[in-house]
Structures are given as C-alpha cells and as structure tokens.
Amino acid sequence: MISKELRDYIQKSFKRGHVICLSGAGISYESGIPTFRGQGGLWEKYDPALYAHLEGLTQLFKTNPIKVIDFIIDFYSVILKAYPNPAHRALAILEKENILTSTITQNIDGLHQEAGSRNVIELHGNAFRIRCNCAPDKTRVLAKDEIKEMIGLLKNHKNSRIKILRVLSRYFPRCLNCGCRYRIDIVLFGEMLPQDELSRAYKELNNCHVLLIIGSSLVVYPAAGLPLYAKVRGAQLIEINNEPSGLSDLCDYRILGQAGEILTEILGVLGYA
Ligand code: APR
C-alpha cells in the first residue's frame, strides 16, 4: 500500500520524466521463479560457490556430470514455464507511456522483453542466448522450444556421459569463425559484466530523476552499486521489495510489498490502470 505522501510524489515527479528501473529476481517471483536467495531458491539447493562459477561447473562436470545436468534441468524447467506477471507488464506500460526510460535488470529470464519492454539493459545476460566463448558479441538466440527439446534429451540421457556431450554439443555448437564452443550468455560469479550493457546503464543513470529498485537483495556488485551511483547524481531512490534489502537505508522511499501489487497501484496513481 502506497502512502499518501508517496502518491503525491509519484504524481508530481514521474511525468517529468527520466524514471529508470533496476530489477532483480523478486520481480519474477510472482511469475513462479523462486528468488536466488529466498526459500526454494536456486542457491538453497545448489551451492553457488560451486554452481555459480565456470571452474566449479567444469570440475564438477568432469567428476559427476549428472549433478551438473540436474542443475541445468532444474534451472531451465522453472524459467521455461514462466510468463510475465503484472509487475513486468506495468513497467512495459510505463515505458510505452514515456514515463519509464529504461529497465536495468539483473534477471536472465527475458520476462521484461516478453511483457513488451523495449529498452532493457541486461547486466547478467540472458538464459535464452548463447555466445562464442572468445567473442561476447557473437551471439545467437535459442528459442524456448529448442531449450525444451534439449532439456528433454538431457533428462533421457543423463546417465550416459557420451550422450550428454552429444546433446550439449548440438545446442552449444562450435563457432564457425574461431572454433570456440558456444556457451550460455549469462554472467557467472567472478566473470566481468558485459561492458556495453554496464556503460549503457551508467549513461542512463547519469540523467535519472527517479530510480525504482524492484525485488533485489542488492548484495551482488557491481549491480548493487548502481543505486548509490544514481543517488550521488541527484536521483531519488524508491525501493519496492517484500523485505528490506541490503541498501534500504539509502532509499528515499521504501515500499514493502509484492512487486505486482505495488506496480499496479502505481499505474493507478498515474491514471493508467
Ligand atoms: N515482490 C518484491 N520483492 C520480492 C518479491 C516480490 N514478490 N519476492 C521476493 N522479493 C525480494 C526478496 O525479498 C529479495 O530481497 O526480492 C529480492 C531477491 O533477492 P535475490 O534472490 O538476492 O535476487 P537478486 O538481488 O536479483 O540477486 C542478484 O545474484 O545470484 C546472483 O546473478 C544472480 O542476478 C542475481 C544476483
């Protein structure tokens, strides 16, 4: 529930422009994707020290490929079933109405774009894209049906190392130019963020009046550094989260609640409900 003070602020300031959103896993929770650090989240079942690192995954694949395959199956099974929820759709409407300039997201599920947002900056990549290992700009989109097919094959063949390798090499082919194997285009722990996306994010934040921070624990850098970057340049920070985040104290307004509900209310405040 948004306070009267915040309603007045939203009505006055949002239509003057340059509102930007920074989203995290919490915005996709209502689409059925558990957050990383919440109950039932990926990092509850799989130790990120092993599974969120390329070296960890590579080593594990050598010794126990089934564990890696189980992780891939669990990871994709959830996001393949997910659809945009009212929070994603509200942001897409705000962008269409020229209120929201861009959405900077840490999410890799593509749900902002699926909801209709156009100016999306993906700091951590996209789970439906693959890229050449040595040339990050050489990318290819994998259709959801292709990934479903791959997951089906992995489930059927997970006890045979040779068959697993055959399936993976079919969906992650070698680059015709350099011979490198394609890999999923997401940022694992210890890897650099895509520099062009990060530069785009900083550029947007240089002129930002309001930064809406939605559903992020704000503990993973450099994304967690963006609110401070915006604040020292004069932006007002509004946090929408169902519990306080690591940087709640930095925010000018904090709205405790479910992202879908709050953003629908914001649409109403602005007359778009
Ligand atoms: N509405 C609003 N907030 C929610 C909701 C909801 N319906 N559900 C959960 N949240 C909040 C949680 O309380 C938590 O503060 O969303 C936040 C999710 O935090 P994390 O799971 O840590 O996700 P995120 O901040 O996006 O993680 C950052 O960490 O593991 C890496 O690369 C991964 O991009 C990810 C990064």
Side-chain angles (χ1 to χ4, degrees), residues 47-87:
D47 180 1
L50 195 57
Y51 288 88
H53 289 269
L54 191 59
E55 301 76 44
L57 285 168
T58 313
Q59 284 309 318
L60 190 60
F61 191 79
K62 284 183 188 153
T63 54
N64 200 340
I66 293 180
K67 283 195 168 177
V68 178
I69 297 307
D70 280 340
F71 172 66
I72 295 175
I73 292 171
D74 276 0
F75 169 73
Y76 274 117
S77 300
V78 172
I79 59 172
L80 278 169
K81 278 192 282 193
Y83 288 96
N85 66 53

Side-chain angles (χ1 to χ4, degrees), residues 57-238:
L57 285 168
T58 313
Q59 284 309 318
L60 190 60
F61 191 79
K62 284 183 188 153
T63 54
N64 200 340
I66 293 180
K67 283 195 168 177
V68 178
I69 297 307
D70 280 340
F71 172 66
I72 295 175
I73 292 171
D74 276 0
F75 169 73
Y76 274 117
S77 300
V78 172
I79 59 172
L80 278 169
K81 278 192 282 193
Y83 288 96
N85 66 53
H88 298 107
R89 288 199 290 273
L91 292 176
I93 292 171
L94 292 179
E95 186 187 306
K96 195 162 156 261
E97 297 296 339
N98 293 320
I99 287 178
L100 187 77
T101 312
S102 58
T103 299
I104 304 168
T105 190
Q106 300 165 81
N107 298 346
I108 54 176
D109 54 31
L111 292 178
H112 285 299
Q113 295 91 326
E114 215 176 306
S117 290
R118 294 280 161 261
N119 199 8
V120 181
I121 299 170
E122 292 180 315
L123 293 178
H124 294 168
N126 188 302
F128 298 105
R129 214 168 46 219
I130 55 174
R131 69 167 168 87
C132 171
N133 210 12
C134 70
D137 55 333
K138 235 185 279 165
T139 60
R140 217 191 95 191
V141 172
L142 285 181
K144 282 195 175 180
D145 281 346
E146 271 182 284
I147 298 188
K148 270 186 203 152
E149 195 182 74
M150 174 181 82
I151 295 301
L153 291 170
L154 288 175
K155 276 183 184 163
N156 289 341
H157 299 308
K158 76 174 183 181
N159 291 318
S160 160
R161 191 188 176 82
I162 296 284
K163 286 184 181 167
I164 289 172
L165 284 171
R166 249 187 237 144
V167 173
L168 290 177
S169 53
R170 180 162 145 197
Y171 295 90
F172 297 90
R174 286 195 185 280
C175 170
L176 292 178
N177 292 332
C178 65
C180 272
R181 176 84 50 205
Y182 271 76
R183 56 163 279 182
I184 178 172
D185 191 12
I186 61 174
V187 178
L188 294 166
F189 282 14
E191 293 185 326
M192 295 264 287
L193 264 59
Q195 290 306 296
D196 48 344
E197 294 294 277
L198 193 57
S199 306
R200 270 177 75 202
Y202 284 128
K203 213 167 149 191
E204 294 283 347
L205 294 172
N206 282 337
N207 305 309
C208 166
H209 292 132
V210 178
L211 180 63
L212 281 175
I213 308 160
I214 308 173
S216 176
S217 58
L218 295 177
V219 292
V220 175
Y221 286 78
L226 298 181
L228 183 60
Y229 182 90
K231 190 166 173 106
V232 296
R233 282 160 184 78
Q236 297 268 301
L237 309 185
I238 302 180

Side-chain angles (χ1 to χ4, degrees), residues 23-31 33-38 41-43 48 52 85 87 105-108 123-124 187-189 213-221 223-224 239-246 255-262:
S23 70
I27 199 167
S28 294
Y29 182 79
E30 291 157 76
S31 293
I33 306 179
T35 58
F36 287 96
R37 295 173 178 77
L42 211 56
W43 300 153
N85 66 53
T105 190
Q106 300 165 81
N107 298 346
I108 54 176
L123 293 178
H124 294 168
V187 178
L188 294 166
F189 282 14
I213 308 160
I214 308 173
S216 176
S217 58
L218 295 177
V219 292
V220 175
Y221 286 78
E239 180 176 76
I240 301 172
N241 207 310
N242 65 0
E243 63 181 30
S245 74
I255 313 176
L256 275 186
Q258 308 299 317
E261 217 170 279
I262 305 294

